[in-house]
Amino acid sequence: MAAPRVASDVEVELESVFPQELGLFADAFTAETRYRLCGHELSIVQHHGSRLGVAAPVWEAALALCDYFEEHKLNFWGKKVLELGAGTGIVGILVALLGGDVTITDLPVALKQIEENVHRNLPAGCLARTKVCALSWGLDHVEFPSDYDFILGADIVYLKDTYPSLIRTLQHLCGPQSTIYLSSKMRQEHSTVLFFETLLPMHFTSKLAFRDENENINIYKVTQKSNI
């Protein structure tokens, strides 16, 4: 019988999700950027540096997803929504402002930045229906329900080793009524195309909902496979 996993083992595994290439995140600094999205002005703090790595910035795929919400007038009012790998939390924050009952998740190291942005941007009424909590793909996803109306992810597909865990997490979270929106820069070097064109369709019904040729960003609309 294999020895039980201890907390330190899990921490090492989680830390590997954030690439720490030498020098890539060497400069530590804080930036504040304002965005006008869906009629709301958001002020997003980003704590750049080796501690947060890729979780620190607002990525173009997140902004593309927010613009998609506006263009297609998605109705989040009263809907139960979960964001995966939130980073700054900008997508989940916008959805909360649009009326959603939102759970914003990422690895534990990113939660402080998300909470700061949540409190900077959400009035009391929105705060009451917004949660920020840790969700580690493939490890504790079973602690979350499977009744979300929407599951959102922006630029969370970039490390091939995490793809099986992400698939398992999406399988658990996605109920018959759920719609998943995944926005991603299509990085050939990170096998992003492999995930969306081969792995994801093996387990879900997936279609390309939007493509930005200039930024090389795709948005996929994903649902459970039909039993029929």
mmCIF file of all heavy atoms in Angstrom, residues 189-220:
data_model
loop_
_atom_site.group_PDB
_atom_site.id
_atom_site.type_symbol
_atom_site.label_atom_id
_atom_site.label_comp_id
_atom_site.label_asym_id
_atom_site.label_seq_id
_atom_site.Cartn_x
_atom_site.Cartn_y
_atom_site.Cartn_z
ATOM 1 N N GLU A 189 3.611 26.009 -28.173
ATOM 2 C CA GLU A 189 4.701 25.451 -27.379
ATOM 3 C C GLU A 189 4.218 24.857 -26.058
ATOM 4 O O GLU A 189 4.936 24.088 -25.420
ATOM 5 C CB GLU A 189 5.769 26.535 -27.106
ATOM 6 C CG GLU A 189 5.339 27.654 -26.167
ATOM 7 C CD GLU A 189 4.615 28.796 -26.877
ATOM 8 O OE1 GLU A 189 4.142 28.583 -28.022
ATOM 9 O OE2 GLU A 189 4.512 29.884 -26.294
ATOM 10 N N HIS A 190 3.002 25.197 -25.627
ATOM 11 C CA HIS A 190 2.459 24.659 -24.381
ATOM 12 C C HIS A 190 1.393 23.601 -24.629
ATOM 13 O O HIS A 190 0.664 23.226 -23.708
ATOM 14 C CB HIS A 190 1.869 25.789 -23.525
ATOM 15 C CG HIS A 190 2.909 26.709 -22.978
ATOM 16 N ND1 HIS A 190 2.599 27.933 -22.429
ATOM 17 C CD2 HIS A 190 4.253 26.582 -22.891
ATOM 18 C CE1 HIS A 190 3.713 28.532 -22.026
ATOM 19 N NE2 HIS A 190 4.728 27.719 -22.294
ATOM 20 N N SER A 191 1.279 23.135 -25.856
ATOM 21 C CA SER A 191 0.301 22.090 -26.219
ATOM 22 C C SER A 191 -1.131 22.518 -25.922
ATOM 23 O O SER A 191 -1.995 21.683 -25.644
ATOM 24 C CB SER A 191 0.619 20.774 -25.495
ATOM 25 O OG SER A 191 1.907 20.310 -25.821
ATOM 26 N N THR A 192 -1.388 23.826 -25.993
ATOM 27 C CA THR A 192 -2.749 24.318 -25.755
ATOM 28 C C THR A 192 -3.717 23.778 -26.802
ATOM 29 O O THR A 192 -4.853 23.419 -26.489
ATOM 30 C CB THR A 192 -2.756 25.859 -25.763
ATOM 31 O OG1 THR A 192 -1.759 26.333 -24.848
ATOM 32 C CG2 THR A 192 -4.108 26.404 -25.341
ATOM 33 N N VAL A 193 -3.257 23.718 -28.050
ATOM 34 C CA VAL A 193 -4.104 23.189 -29.122
ATOM 35 C C VAL A 193 -4.460 21.730 -28.851
ATOM 36 O O VAL A 193 -5.603 21.302 -29.071
ATOM 37 C CB VAL A 193 -3.398 23.346 -30.481
ATOM 38 C CG1 VAL A 193 -4.204 22.661 -31.585
ATOM 39 C CG2 VAL A 193 -3.193 24.819 -30.806
ATOM 40 N N LEU A 194 -3.510 20.957 -28.356
ATOM 41 C CA LEU A 194 -3.762 19.555 -28.016
ATOM 42 C C LEU A 194 -4.896 19.447 -27.004
ATOM 43 O O LEU A 194 -5.790 18.596 -27.145
ATOM 44 C CB LEU A 194 -2.499 18.919 -27.437
ATOM 45 C CG LEU A 194 -2.661 17.540 -26.797
ATOM 46 C CD1 LEU A 194 -2.945 16.484 -27.850
ATOM 47 C CD2 LEU A 194 -1.404 17.161 -25.992
ATOM 48 N N PHE A 195 -4.878 20.307 -25.991
ATOM 49 C CA PHE A 195 -5.919 20.257 -24.967
ATOM 50 C C PHE A 195 -7.292 20.510 -25.581
ATOM 51 O O PHE A 195 -8.244 19.743 -25.364
ATOM 52 C CB PHE A 195 -5.641 21.281 -23.873
ATOM 53 C CG PHE A 195 -6.691 21.317 -22.793
ATOM 54 C CD1 PHE A 195 -6.614 20.465 -21.700
ATOM 55 C CD2 PHE A 195 -7.773 22.187 -22.874
ATOM 56 C CE1 PHE A 195 -7.591 20.483 -20.710
ATOM 57 C CE2 PHE A 195 -8.755 22.203 -21.893
ATOM 58 C CZ PHE A 195 -8.661 21.346 -20.810
ATOM 59 N N PHE A 196 -7.412 21.583 -26.358
ATOM 60 C CA PHE A 196 -8.735 21.986 -26.839
ATOM 61 C C PHE A 196 -9.227 21.160 -28.023
ATOM 62 O O PHE A 196 -10.432 20.967 -28.174
ATOM 63 C CB PHE A 196 -8.714 23.474 -27.210
ATOM 64 C CG PHE A 196 -8.752 24.385 -26.019
ATOM 65 C CD1 PHE A 196 -7.631 25.097 -25.647
ATOM 66 C CD2 PHE A 196 -9.906 24.508 -25.256
ATOM 67 C CE1 PHE A 196 -7.659 25.949 -24.540
ATOM 68 C CE2 PHE A 196 -9.952 25.347 -24.152
ATOM 69 C CZ PHE A 196 -8.819 26.068 -23.791
ATOM 70 N N GLU A 197 -8.322 20.671 -28.847
ATOM 71 C CA GLU A 197 -8.758 19.959 -30.043
ATOM 72 C C GLU A 197 -8.780 18.448 -29.885
ATOM 73 O O GLU A 197 -9.442 17.756 -30.660
ATOM 74 C CB GLU A 197 -7.865 20.347 -31.224
ATOM 75 C CG GLU A 197 -8.003 21.806 -31.612
ATOM 76 C CD GLU A 197 -7.288 22.146 -32.906
ATOM 77 O OE1 GLU A 197 -6.670 21.227 -33.506
ATOM 78 O OE2 GLU A 197 -7.350 23.314 -33.318
ATOM 79 N N THR A 198 -8.067 17.933 -28.875
ATOM 80 C CA THR A 198 -8.002 16.481 -28.696
ATOM 81 C C THR A 198 -8.525 16.035 -27.335
ATOM 82 O O THR A 198 -9.455 15.222 -27.256
ATOM 83 C CB THR A 198 -6.558 15.971 -28.874
ATOM 84 O OG1 THR A 198 -6.089 16.342 -30.174
ATOM 85 C CG2 THR A 198 -6.489 14.464 -28.731
ATOM 86 N N LEU A 199 -7.946 16.551 -26.253
ATOM 87 C CA LEU A 199 -8.314 16.073 -24.908
ATOM 88 C C LEU A 199 -9.719 16.485 -24.501
ATOM 89 O O LEU A 199 -10.524 15.651 -24.074
ATOM 90 C CB LEU A 199 -7.297 16.579 -23.885
ATOM 91 C CG LEU A 199 -5.859 16.116 -24.057
ATOM 92 C CD1 LEU A 199 -4.972 16.714 -22.977
ATOM 93 C CD2 LEU A 199 -5.779 14.587 -24.026
ATOM 94 N N LEU A 200 -10.028 17.766 -24.607
ATOM 95 C CA LEU A 200 -11.332 18.250 -24.158
ATOM 96 C C LEU A 200 -12.498 17.595 -24.900
ATOM 97 O O LEU A 200 -13.468 17.159 -24.267
ATOM 98 C CB LEU A 200 -11.382 19.775 -24.295
ATOM 99 C CG LEU A 200 -12.540 20.496 -23.587
ATOM 100 C CD1 LEU A 200 -12.447 20.317 -22.074
ATOM 101 C CD2 LEU A 200 -12.521 21.982 -23.935
ATOM 102 N N PRO A 201 -12.449 17.467 -26.234
ATOM 103 C CA PRO A 201 -13.568 16.830 -26.942
ATOM 104 C C PRO A 201 -13.761 15.349 -26.618
ATOM 105 O O PRO A 201 -14.827 14.792 -26.910
ATOM 106 C CB PRO A 201 -13.185 17.014 -28.422
ATOM 107 C CG PRO A 201 -12.259 18.173 -28.440
ATOM 108 C CD PRO A 201 -11.477 18.060 -27.177
ATOM 109 N N MET A 202 -12.750 14.711 -26.017
ATOM 110 C CA MET A 202 -12.924 13.321 -25.615
ATOM 111 C C MET A 202 -13.919 13.198 -24.465
ATOM 112 O O MET A 202 -14.550 12.150 -24.280
ATOM 113 C CB MET A 202 -11.578 12.733 -25.183
ATOM 114 C CG MET A 202 -10.592 12.525 -26.311
ATOM 115 S SD MET A 202 -8.948 12.025 -25.726
ATOM 116 C CE MET A 202 -9.336 10.491 -24.872
ATOM 117 N N HIS A 203 -14.087 14.256 -23.689
ATOM 118 C CA HIS A 203 -14.894 14.189 -22.478
ATOM 119 C C HIS A 203 -16.096 15.132 -22.480
ATOM 120 O O HIS A 203 -17.023 14.948 -21.678
ATOM 121 C CB HIS A 203 -14.020 14.529 -21.261
ATOM 122 C CG HIS A 203 -12.798 13.674 -21.146
ATOM 123 N ND1 HIS A 203 -12.843 12.394 -20.635
ATOM 124 C CD2 HIS A 203 -11.502 13.903 -21.494
ATOM 125 C CE1 HIS A 203 -11.623 11.874 -20.658
ATOM 126 N NE2 HIS A 203 -10.789 12.768 -21.167
ATOM 127 N N PHE A 204 -16.084 16.138 -23.342
ATOM 128 C CA PHE A 204 -17.143 17.139 -23.357
ATOM 129 C C PHE A 204 -17.548 17.459 -24.792
ATOM 130 O O PHE A 204 -16.813 17.174 -25.740
ATOM 131 C CB PHE A 204 -16.661 18.448 -22.701
ATOM 132 C CG PHE A 204 -16.313 18.327 -21.240
ATOM 133 C CD1 PHE A 204 -15.008 18.032 -20.850
ATOM 134 C CD2 PHE A 204 -17.278 18.514 -20.265
ATOM 135 C CE1 PHE A 204 -14.672 17.922 -19.506
ATOM 136 C CE2 PHE A 204 -16.952 18.407 -18.923
ATOM 137 C CZ PHE A 204 -15.659 18.111 -18.545
ATOM 138 N N THR A 205 -18.711 18.086 -24.919
ATOM 139 C CA THR A 205 -19.083 18.712 -26.177
ATOM 140 C C THR A 205 -18.491 20.114 -26.173
ATOM 141 O O THR A 205 -18.778 20.916 -25.279
ATOM 142 C CB THR A 205 -20.613 18.778 -26.329
ATOM 143 O OG1 THR A 205 -21.135 17.454 -26.366
ATOM 144 C CG2 THR A 205 -20.992 19.508 -27.603
ATOM 145 N N SER A 206 -17.641 20.398 -27.133
ATOM 146 C CA SER A 206 -16.915 21.657 -27.145
ATOM 147 C C SER A 206 -16.999 22.297 -28.523
ATOM 148 O O SER A 206 -16.862 21.612 -29.541
ATOM 149 C CB SER A 206 -15.442 21.417 -26.772
ATOM 150 O OG SER A 206 -14.676 22.589 -26.895
ATOM 151 N N LYS A 207 -17.238 23.593 -28.547
ATOM 152 C CA LYS A 207 -17.243 24.292 -29.834
ATOM 153 C C LYS A 207 -16.549 25.640 -29.683
ATOM 154 O O LYS A 207 -16.579 26.274 -28.618
ATOM 155 C CB LYS A 207 -18.662 24.473 -30.369
ATOM 156 C CG LYS A 207 -19.514 25.470 -29.602
ATOM 157 C CD LYS A 207 -20.854 25.664 -30.313
ATOM 158 C CE LYS A 207 -21.705 26.730 -29.627
ATOM 159 N NZ LYS A 207 -22.988 26.960 -30.332
ATOM 160 N N LEU A 208 -15.909 26.067 -30.758
ATOM 161 C CA LEU A 208 -15.250 27.363 -30.785
ATOM 162 C C LEU A 208 -16.313 28.444 -30.884
ATOM 163 O O LEU A 208 -17.059 28.513 -31.859
ATOM 164 C CB LEU A 208 -14.284 27.436 -31.970
ATOM 165 C CG LEU A 208 -13.511 28.742 -32.138
ATOM 166 C CD1 LEU A 208 -12.595 28.991 -30.953
ATOM 167 C CD2 LEU A 208 -12.716 28.721 -33.443
ATOM 168 N N ALA A 209 -16.382 29.296 -29.860
ATOM 169 C CA ALA A 209 -17.400 30.337 -29.821
ATOM 170 C C ALA A 209 -16.889 31.669 -30.351
ATOM 171 O O ALA A 209 -17.672 32.502 -30.811
ATOM 172 C CB ALA A 209 -17.905 30.516 -28.392
ATOM 173 N N PHE A 210 -15.568 31.867 -30.279
ATOM 174 C CA PHE A 210 -14.991 33.154 -30.696
ATOM 175 C C PHE A 210 -13.508 32.967 -30.957
ATOM 176 O O PHE A 210 -12.844 32.185 -30.265
ATOM 177 C CB PHE A 210 -15.191 34.204 -29.592
ATOM 178 C CG PHE A 210 -14.448 35.489 -29.839
ATOM 179 C CD1 PHE A 210 -14.975 36.460 -30.671
ATOM 180 C CD2 PHE A 210 -13.221 35.723 -29.228
ATOM 181 C CE1 PHE A 210 -14.289 37.652 -30.903
ATOM 182 C CE2 PHE A 210 -12.537 36.908 -29.447
ATOM 183 C CZ PHE A 210 -13.070 37.871 -30.283
ATOM 184 N N ARG A 211 -12.998 33.689 -31.950
ATOM 185 C CA ARG A 211 -11.550 33.678 -32.197
ATOM 186 C C ARG A 211 -11.072 35.091 -32.502
ATOM 187 O O ARG A 211 -11.658 35.796 -33.332
ATOM 188 C CB ARG A 211 -11.175 32.753 -33.346
ATOM 189 C CG ARG A 211 -9.687 32.902 -33.731
ATOM 190 C CD ARG A 211 -9.084 31.684 -34.339
ATOM 191 N NE ARG A 211 -7.697 31.927 -34.746
ATOM 192 C CZ ARG A 211 -6.652 31.885 -33.912
ATOM 193 N NH1 ARG A 211 -6.832 31.606 -32.627
ATOM 194 N NH2 ARG A 211 -5.433 32.117 -34.339
ATOM 195 N N ASP A 212 -10.009 35.507 -31.847
ATOM 196 C CA ASP A 212 -9.323 36.760 -32.114
ATOM 197 C C ASP A 212 -8.020 36.415 -32.840
ATOM 198 O O ASP A 212 -7.062 35.935 -32.223
ATOM 199 C CB ASP A 212 -9.033 37.504 -30.804
ATOM 200 C CG ASP A 212 -8.400 38.870 -31.023
ATOM 201 O OD1 ASP A 212 -7.692 39.048 -32.038
ATOM 202 O OD2 ASP A 212 -8.586 39.752 -30.166
ATOM 203 N N GLU A 213 -8.004 36.628 -34.137
ATOM 204 C CA GLU A 213 -6.831 36.273 -34.939
ATOM 205 C C GLU A 213 -5.605 37.083 -34.543
ATOM 206 O O GLU A 213 -4.483 36.573 -34.507
ATOM 207 C CB GLU A 213 -7.129 36.485 -36.432
ATOM 208 C CG GLU A 213 -8.106 35.495 -37.021
ATOM 209 C CD GLU A 213 -7.488 34.123 -37.254
ATOM 210 O OE1 GLU A 213 -6.255 33.983 -37.095
ATOM 211 O OE2 GLU A 213 -8.239 33.185 -37.587
ATOM 212 N N ASN A 214 -5.804 38.361 -34.250
ATOM 213 C CA ASN A 214 -4.671 39.227 -33.927
ATOM 214 C C ASN A 214 -3.970 38.795 -32.645
ATOM 215 O O ASN A 214 -2.738 38.798 -32.560
ATOM 216 C CB ASN A 214 -5.134 40.684 -33.803
ATOM 217 C CG ASN A 214 -5.584 41.254 -35.127
ATOM 218 O OD1 ASN A 214 -5.075 40.878 -36.187
ATOM 219 N ND2 ASN A 214 -6.546 42.166 -35.087
ATOM 220 N N GLU A 215 -4.757 38.429 -31.628
ATOM 221 C CA GLU A 215 -4.188 38.044 -30.333
ATOM 222 C C GLU A 215 -3.996 36.532 -30.202
ATOM 223 O O GLU A 215 -3.464 36.061 -29.196
ATOM 224 C CB GLU A 215 -5.090 38.538 -29.192
ATOM 225 C CG GLU A 215 -5.194 40.050 -29.088
ATOM 226 C CD GLU A 215 -3.899 40.702 -28.669
ATOM 227 O OE1 GLU A 215 -3.034 40.001 -28.085
ATOM 228 O OE2 GLU A 215 -3.730 41.915 -28.914
ATOM 229 N N ASN A 216 -4.474 35.772 -31.208
ATOM 230 C CA ASN A 216 -4.403 34.310 -31.170
ATOM 231 C C ASN A 216 -5.097 33.760 -29.930
ATOM 232 O O ASN A 216 -4.578 32.893 -29.230
ATOM 233 C CB ASN A 216 -2.949 33.824 -31.225
ATOM 234 C CG ASN A 216 -2.842 32.329 -31.492
ATOM 235 O OD1 ASN A 216 -3.744 31.727 -32.081
ATOM 236 N ND2 ASN A 216 -1.760 31.721 -31.029
ATOM 237 N N ILE A 217 -6.291 34.287 -29.658
ATOM 238 C CA ILE A 217 -7.089 33.871 -28.500
ATOM 239 C C ILE A 217 -8.368 33.209 -28.986
ATOM 240 O O ILE A 217 -9.067 33.739 -29.850
ATOM 241 C CB ILE A 217 -7.431 35.078 -27.600
ATOM 242 C CG1 ILE A 217 -6.167 35.600 -26.906
ATOM 243 C CG2 ILE A 217 -8.495 34.704 -26.559
ATOM 244 C CD1 ILE A 217 -6.368 36.894 -26.153
ATOM 245 N N ASN A 218 -8.663 32.044 -28.420
ATOM 246 C CA ASN A 218 -9.919 31.340 -28.685
ATOM 247 C C ASN A 218 -10.767 31.297 -27.426
ATOM 248 O O ASN A 218 -10.232 31.185 -26.313
ATOM 249 C CB ASN A 218 -9.665 29.896 -29.129
ATOM 250 C CG ASN A 218 -9.106 29.797 -30.536
ATOM 251 O OD1 ASN A 218 -8.927 30.807 -31.227
ATOM 252 N ND2 ASN A 218 -8.830 28.575 -30.965
ATOM 253 N N ILE A 219 -12.083 31.355 -27.596
ATOM 254 C CA ILE A 219 -13.022 31.114 -26.502
ATOM 255 C C ILE A 219 -13.875 29.911 -26.891
ATOM 256 O O ILE A 219 -14.478 29.886 -27.971
ATOM 257 C CB ILE A 219 -13.913 32.339 -26.226
ATOM 258 C CG1 ILE A 219 -13.055 33.526 -25.778
ATOM 259 C CG2 ILE A 219 -14.973 32.003 -25.166
ATOM 260 C CD1 ILE A 219 -13.839 34.804 -25.555
ATOM 261 N N TYR A 220 -13.895 28.919 -26.012
ATOM 262 C CA TYR A 220 -14.649 27.691 -26.245
ATOM 263 C C TYR A 220 -15.850 27.616 -25.306
ATOM 264 O O TYR A 220 -15.749 27.937 -24.118
ATOM 265 C CB TYR A 220 -13.760 26.463 -26.026
ATOM 266 C CG TYR A 220 -12.662 26.328 -27.051
ATOM 267 C CD1 TYR A 220 -11.437 26.973 -26.868
ATOM 268 C CD2 TYR A 220 -12.848 25.570 -28.206
ATOM 269 C CE1 TYR A 220 -10.424 26.864 -27.818
ATOM 270 C CE2 TYR A 220 -11.833 25.452 -29.150
ATOM 271 C CZ TYR A 220 -10.630 26.099 -28.947
ATOM 272 O OH TYR A 220 -9.628 25.993 -29.876
#
